[in-house]
Amino acid sequence: MYDYIVIGAGVMGSSTAYALAKEGKKVLLLEQFPIPHTRGSSHGASRITRTAYPEEFNGSIMAVANSMWKDLEKEAETTLFKHTGLLCTTSTLHKELVDTQKTLQRYNTGPVPIIDSAEISKRYPLMSYPKEEKACFDSSAGILYADKCVMAFQRMFQKRGGEVIDMCKVQHVTPGDVVTVHTDKGDFQAKGLVITCGAWSSEILSDLGISLPLQVMAIQVCYWKARNGVDHSSLPLFISLDEISDIYGMPTSEYDGLMKICLHYGVLCAGPDMRDNTDSKAEAKNLKMLTEFVASTFPYLVPEPAIKERCMYTVTPDNQFIVDHHPIHRNIVFGAGFSGHGFKMAPVIGNMLAELVQGGKPELLVDELRASRFDKKSKL
């Protein structure tokens, strides 16, 4: 019997398994697909990491996560992070920009001024924003090498004696003081269970009587080529706070010479195994909006994606994630709904889940991240 079983070997599950193994626990990490794979939300070469959040609680998580990524880099003896800085922009949601400025000034070193579009153009001549645009700069931000991060967690987990079984589909969970996980490779038992299944979370949680407001969204990941070979590699990351044009981008780590620029939302799909069966008209509308943004903001890029790929978000109504325990079986905990921005927080989330499944009370687990926020009458 194991001390703990973790279902789902994406970045959250791998981080949790690593955190438990560091405490000397006997841990089994289960994954339904071959490792590595591209079916979930943790694959790819790059993710933005930033402290720039309008919500103070997210800033507090990132203040800890930033140092934890450095610790993992050192332990794994591999580069996981590239420092670039991030431009956080808006033309309409000025309160969110001011709140983001406050978060940055609390958790980063030194003052964080709000600049106008003229100053943006002066600093970054390859970018062109309308005159009403405002921005602030997150000096802590950069690129996480996503695939390397997941592999680093898994390697360090296994180095501590952790066991990984991939191509292992969970069929049913029987709760109790000893939890039994029934899979197509046999039954496994543990004192506690952590569920980090990404887009497949609802399948397992509903079997345990837990209903969360999770929706699976198919995302188009687009890469853009420069005109006449103009070098964009020195640009910072950027993210827009505007609700209508919720767009982010970065000089790509995936494809040499291309820019990765994407909408931070996509098209809802019926389930994680249906991500290629979406509303083509809605996707075309989203791509048109993105293309228009690229044409107006990046005049030295060809306004047509050179490469299009697909991934998934699992989103909640407020776009904040959920970390909690089962209302009855407190040795079963879960993390879900990371809404396309949770990757950077994985070291902290892993520690949260590891502490929660052992009966602890994680300091950074605020009410805004609990499942009960969606139903005040819920036992969750």
Side-chain angles (χ1 to χ4, degrees), residues 3-40:
D3 291 322
Y4 299 100
I5 295 172
V6 180
I7 303 175
V11 72
M12 298 305 173
S14 297
S15 174
T16 304
Y18 165 73
L20 287 166
K22 280 178 70 176
E23 297 186 28
K25 307 302 180 183
K26 184 180 180 182
V27 184
L28 173 63
L29 178 60
L30 299 177
E31 170 57 48
Q32 65 173 322
F33 297 115
I35 294 176
H37 67 86
T38 61
R39 293 299 301 173

XYZ file of all heavy atoms in Angstrom, residues 3-40:
283
model
N 1.464 5.476 0.603
C 0.998 6.556 1.474
C -0.018 7.400 0.703
O -1.100 7.718 1.220
C 2.173 7.428 1.926
C 3.096 6.693 2.882
O 2.594 5.927 3.732
O 4.327 6.867 2.776
N 0.361 7.762 -0.532
C -0.517 8.621 -1.331
C -0.451 8.222 -2.799
O 0.600 7.806 -3.301
C -0.126 10.100 -1.173
C -0.254 10.557 0.256
C 0.865 10.639 1.085
C -1.503 10.849 0.797
C 0.746 11.015 2.414
C -1.627 11.227 2.129
C -0.510 11.305 2.923
O -0.649 11.659 4.238
N -1.600 8.387 -3.476
C -1.682 8.220 -4.923
C -2.063 9.565 -5.520
O -2.932 10.273 -4.991
C -2.725 7.149 -5.316
C -2.281 5.768 -4.811
C -2.927 7.109 -6.830
C -3.335 4.682 -4.983
N -1.414 9.923 -6.610
C -1.750 11.136 -7.356
C -2.214 10.711 -8.738
O -1.504 9.981 -9.443
C -0.540 12.088 -7.474
C -0.927 13.346 -8.256
C -0.002 12.461 -6.093
N -3.408 11.150 -9.125
C -3.951 10.828 -10.448
C -3.753 12.030 -11.361
O -4.274 13.111 -11.100
C -5.454 10.475 -10.380
C -5.703 9.318 -9.416
C -5.977 10.121 -11.770
C -7.189 9.011 -9.215
N -3.010 11.827 -12.447
C -2.753 12.892 -13.406
C -1.326 13.391 -13.290
O -0.955 13.996 -12.282
N -0.508 13.152 -14.327
C 0.916 13.483 -14.276
C 1.263 14.708 -15.115
O 2.352 14.794 -15.686
C 1.756 12.282 -14.713
N 0.304 15.658 -15.195
C 0.648 16.959 -15.760
C 1.489 17.726 -14.758
O 1.996 17.171 -13.775
N 1.617 19.023 -14.950
C 2.502 19.796 -14.080
C 2.010 19.818 -12.640
O 2.816 19.760 -11.689
C 2.711 21.228 -14.626
C 1.451 22.088 -14.466
C 3.901 21.894 -13.948
N 0.676 19.863 -12.421
C 0.162 19.922 -11.059
C 0.342 18.593 -10.326
O 0.776 18.559 -9.171
C -1.318 20.317 -11.064
C -1.584 21.692 -11.640
S -0.631 22.990 -10.804
C -1.028 24.393 -11.860
N 0.023 17.500 -10.993
C 0.192 16.194 -10.376
C 1.647 15.863 -10.131
O 2.011 15.324 -9.078
N 2.507 16.206 -11.088
C 3.928 15.917 -10.942
C 4.531 16.748 -9.810
O 5.370 16.254 -9.033
C 4.660 16.198 -12.257
O 4.175 15.347 -13.279
N 4.094 18.003 -9.701
C 4.564 18.857 -8.611
C 4.109 18.327 -7.252
O 4.877 18.318 -6.278
C 4.057 20.286 -8.810
O 4.368 21.104 -7.707
N 2.869 17.868 -7.178
C 2.336 17.331 -5.924
C 3.064 16.063 -5.512
O 3.434 15.886 -4.345
C 0.831 17.046 -6.069
O 0.144 18.232 -6.490
C 0.242 16.568 -4.751
N 3.267 15.163 -6.478
C 3.982 13.916 -6.187
C 5.388 14.211 -5.682
O 5.872 13.594 -4.725
C 4.032 13.043 -7.444
N 6.043 15.173 -6.312
C 7.384 15.592 -5.898
C 7.372 16.143 -4.474
O 8.233 15.800 -3.648
C 7.878 16.634 -6.891
C 9.085 17.443 -6.466
C 10.355 16.889 -6.437
C 8.942 18.791 -6.139
C 11.458 17.654 -6.071
C 10.038 19.556 -5.774
C 11.292 18.982 -5.737
O 12.376 19.739 -5.372
N 6.386 16.994 -4.157
C 6.295 17.584 -2.820
C 6.104 16.509 -1.751
O 6.698 16.572 -0.670
C 5.154 18.600 -2.772
N 5.275 15.509 -2.042
C 5.049 14.420 -1.086
C 6.294 13.545 -0.930
O 6.649 13.137 0.180
C 3.862 13.576 -1.546
C 2.485 14.225 -1.387
C 1.433 13.461 -2.189
C 2.076 14.303 0.082
N 6.957 13.264 -2.048
C 8.166 12.439 -1.990
C 9.275 13.133 -1.203
O 10.067 12.478 -0.511
C 8.638 12.103 -3.400
N 9.331 14.455 -1.295
C 10.334 15.206 -0.539
C 10.152 15.015 0.968
O 11.110 15.153 1.735
C 10.240 16.702 -0.875
C 10.907 17.095 -2.173
C 10.738 18.572 -2.469
C 11.545 19.432 -1.529
N 11.456 20.868 -1.874
N 8.927 14.710 1.367
C 8.641 14.483 2.788
C 8.820 13.010 3.174
O 8.425 12.607 4.267
C 7.225 14.954 3.115
C 7.033 16.453 2.914
C 5.675 16.929 3.390
O 5.102 16.301 4.304
O 5.172 17.932 2.845
N 9.351 12.231 2.255
C 9.630 10.836 2.551
C 8.443 9.904 2.411
O 8.480 8.759 2.879
N 7.391 10.353 1.733
C 6.201 9.527 1.570
C 6.359 8.563 0.389
O 7.061 8.855 -0.579
C 4.962 10.406 1.351
C 4.757 11.483 2.421
C 4.648 10.887 3.809
C 4.452 11.982 4.863
N 4.413 11.425 6.241
N 5.686 7.436 0.502
C 5.641 6.460 -0.585
C 4.493 6.844 -1.503
O 3.318 6.794 -1.113
C 5.439 5.048 -0.034
C 5.481 3.954 -1.104
C 5.271 2.566 -0.488
C 5.308 1.486 -1.565
N 5.059 0.139 -0.990
N 4.812 7.246 -2.739
C 3.828 7.880 -3.618
C 3.785 7.187 -4.969
O 4.826 6.838 -5.548
C 4.156 9.378 -3.815
C 3.069 10.056 -4.648
C 4.322 10.085 -2.473
N 2.572 7.021 -5.487
C 2.340 6.499 -6.835
C 1.699 7.592 -7.677
O 0.685 8.180 -7.285
C 1.415 5.274 -6.782
C 0.947 4.712 -8.138
C 2.126 4.200 -8.956
C -0.093 3.611 -7.927
N 2.271 7.862 -8.831
C 1.755 8.849 -9.780
C 1.210 8.117 -10.997
O 1.944 7.401 -11.678
C 2.871 9.818 -10.180
C 2.554 10.915 -11.204
C 1.444 11.833 -10.706
C 3.822 11.723 -11.519
N -0.096 8.290 -11.268
C -0.758 7.599 -12.373
C -1.058 8.573 -13.513
O -1.475 9.714 -13.277
C -2.072 6.972 -11.890
C -1.986 5.915 -10.784
C -3.386 5.470 -10.377
C -1.149 4.720 -11.240
N -0.888 8.105 -14.746
C -1.171 8.918 -15.929
C -1.839 8.045 -16.982
O -1.360 6.943 -17.283
C 0.121 9.524 -16.477
C 0.007 10.184 -17.834
C -1.046 11.294 -17.886
O -1.055 12.154 -16.977
O -1.863 11.274 -18.824
N -2.950 8.531 -17.550
C -3.706 7.720 -18.509
C -3.047 7.637 -19.883
O -3.309 6.691 -20.636
C -5.126 8.266 -18.653
C -5.220 9.661 -19.268
C -6.650 10.082 -19.536
O -7.480 9.268 -19.945
N -6.957 11.346 -19.293
N -2.199 8.610 -20.236
C -1.551 8.624 -21.543
C -0.069 8.268 -21.393
O 0.477 8.288 -20.290
C -1.689 9.998 -22.198
C -3.113 10.388 -22.488
C -3.700 11.472 -21.842
C -3.871 9.681 -23.404
C -5.010 11.843 -22.111
C -5.187 10.038 -23.684
C -5.753 11.117 -23.032
N 0.606 7.969 -22.520
C 2.057 7.771 -22.446
C 2.738 9.070 -22.011
O 2.286 10.164 -22.366
C 2.450 7.403 -23.885
C 1.180 6.987 -24.548
C 0.085 7.746 -23.889
N 3.801 8.960 -21.245
C 4.572 10.129 -20.821
C 5.825 10.226 -21.685
O 6.585 9.255 -21.771
C 4.969 10.017 -19.338
C 3.714 10.069 -18.455
C 5.924 11.141 -18.952
C 4.002 9.869 -16.975
N 6.046 11.399 -22.384
C 5.203 12.591 -22.417
C 4.112 12.465 -23.477
O 4.163 11.574 -24.331
C 6.197 13.693 -22.786
C 7.189 12.982 -23.672
C 7.312 11.593 -23.102
N 3.146 13.396 -23.437
C 2.078 13.409 -24.440
C 1.609 14.843 -24.664
O 2.040 15.762 -23.951
C 0.910 12.510 -24.005
C 0.187 13.023 -22.788
N -0.839 13.943 -22.861
C 0.330 12.736 -21.478
C -1.289 14.189 -21.650
N -0.594 13.482 -20.785
N 0.736 15.017 -25.640
C 0.263 16.367 -25.995
C -1.251 16.488 -25.884
O -1.845 17.394 -26.469
C 0.696 16.731 -27.433
O 0.116 15.783 -28.353
C 2.202 16.713 -27.583
N -1.879 15.608 -25.104
C -3.337 15.612 -25.030
C -3.897 16.551 -23.953
O -5.078 16.856 -23.948
C -3.847 14.196 -24.738
C -3.613 13.200 -25.848
C -4.313 13.581 -27.128
N -5.759 13.702 -26.966
C -6.576 14.151 -27.904
N -6.087 14.541 -29.071
N -7.874 14.224 -27.687
N -3.079 16.991 -23.035
C -3.580 17.772 -21.913
C -3.287 19.252 -22.021
O -3.399 19.847 -23.093
